[in-house]
Amino acid sequence: MTGPLIGLSTYLVDSARWSSWDLPAALLPADYHRMVQRVGGLAVLLPPDPALGAARAAVARLDGLVVSGGADLDPAGYGAAPDPRTGPVEPGRDAFELALVAAALERGLPVLGVCRGLQILNVALGGTLLQHVDGHRGAPGTFLDHPVTPVPGTLLHSLLGGPVTVPSCHHQAVDRLGEGLVACALAADGLVEAAEADPAADSAASASPFVLGVQWHAEAGVCHRVVAAFVEAAARGREARAGHGGHRRPSASLSAASSTAGASVSDGPYQVR
């Protein structure tokens, strides 16, 4: 039997060059599909699709969803005016990926967000973003390595065991956490570096067996155990659906309302709110 089918969202660019061609392309760095294949998953790319119902139809065929890195999110999507330092946005990709996340959570599929993917997950659940932070990206086209500390008692802590050094390239980040999410890793400055579903919450996120977003680039090879746990959850879900004729109990619906998080868990300049 083949591994679970994992969908990976992609870029859609006006110009990409290979061989003698220079054409518009849907693309994704090869490290993304390789990280899924390395742990037994079957990877399929999901380019942005504006057709009504396309995201839901794609997710209906999947066993798990990876939301990949990319450009800044349109701040209109979380009710904010654009900061001058916010880069070019891609509303069509935003809309498709937000719909993918909504459909995946409704179906109870595992979801893994990578860099921008964490931000998409957070906004899909009613959270907001910091539109600019310093110190989390290096020169263009490179990663900046820095330490992150998993929060004890979280799924991520159980997978990583303690502080790790991760490759980072972002200038936006989680501000207010979305409904049903908890911070599960922090940077030295207190910035939320990862968020996962709170199993105690009655939310769309907690209805899925694995919901995790990391602000760093997991595809760069530092999160083998995280990716393996995600693909294993997708495989178990496929087996469970097969045993119930492909049906599952409907999950809680996504809420557009803003979440109210608790007190800060950091003394750094970026507070978990």
Side-chain angles (χ1 to χ4, degrees):
M1 180 181 292
T2 59
L5 185 64
I6 307 298
L8 301 98
S9 65
T10 76
Y11 295 78
L12 187 62
V13 299
D14 293 331
S15 176
R17 298 188 63 180
W18 69 98
S19 185
S20 58
W21 301 98
D22 187 340
L23 293 170
L27 57 84
L28 194 65
D31 281 344
Y32 279 95
H33 72 255
R34 287 172 179 161
M35 79 174 179
V36 168
Q37 293 169 343
R38 195 176 296 123
V39 294
L42 182 63
V44 59
L45 302 186
L46 302 174
D49 190 333
L52 183 66
R56 182 178 294 275
V59 166
R61 294 161 170 80
L62 299 178
D63 299 309
L65 173 68
V66 175
V67 187
S68 308
D72 292 347
L73 273 69
D74 186 347
Y78 49 94
D83 184 288
R85 296 165 293 185
T86 293
V89 297
E90 301 172 5
R93 182 178 175 186
D94 290 358
F96 183 64
E97 290 182 342
L98 289 167
L100 286 174
V101 169
L105 294 180
E106 182 180 9
R107 192 161 179 250
L109 297 187
V111 176
L112 175 62
V114 175
C115 196
R116 165 191 161 97
L118 164 62
Q119 298 167 16
I120 284 282
L121 175 63
N122 193 56
V123 171
L125 290 164
T128 63
L129 303 180
L130 297 166
Q131 292 190 50
H132 182 78
V133 298
D134 293 316
H136 288 261
R137 62 180 175 180
T142 67
F143 293 129
L144 176 68
D145 291 342
H146 68 85
V148 300
T149 302
V151 175
T154 61
L155 170 64
L156 186 63
H157 186 271
S158 73
L159 295 171
L160 297 181
V164 293
T165 298
V166 298
S168 178
C169 184
H170 67 97
H171 82 113
Q172 298 197 324
V174 168
D175 184 12
R176 187 181 66 245
L177 284 163
E179 182 180 2
L181 294 178
V182 293
C184 55
L186 303 173
D189 58 9
L191 196 72
V192 174
E193 283 287 334
E196 67 185 50
D198 179 357
D202 182 13
S203 72
S206 61
S208 295
F210 185 109
V211 176
L212 171 66
V214 297
Q215 189 61 79
W216 61 86
H217 281 267
E219 81 282 5
V222 299
C223 286
H224 178 85
R225 292 186 64 190
V226 172
V227 179
F230 162 72
V231 172
E232 288 167 8
R236 290 194 301 270
R238 181 179 65 173
E239 292 170 2
R241 286 189 298 277
H244 291 84
H247 299 289
R248 65 174 298 277
R249 181 177 57 84
S251 65
S253 61
L254 286 172
S255 170
S258 299
S259 70
T260 55
S264 168
V265 297
S266 168
D267 293 326
Y270 305 112
Q271 305 295 322
V272 181
R273 297 190 274 283

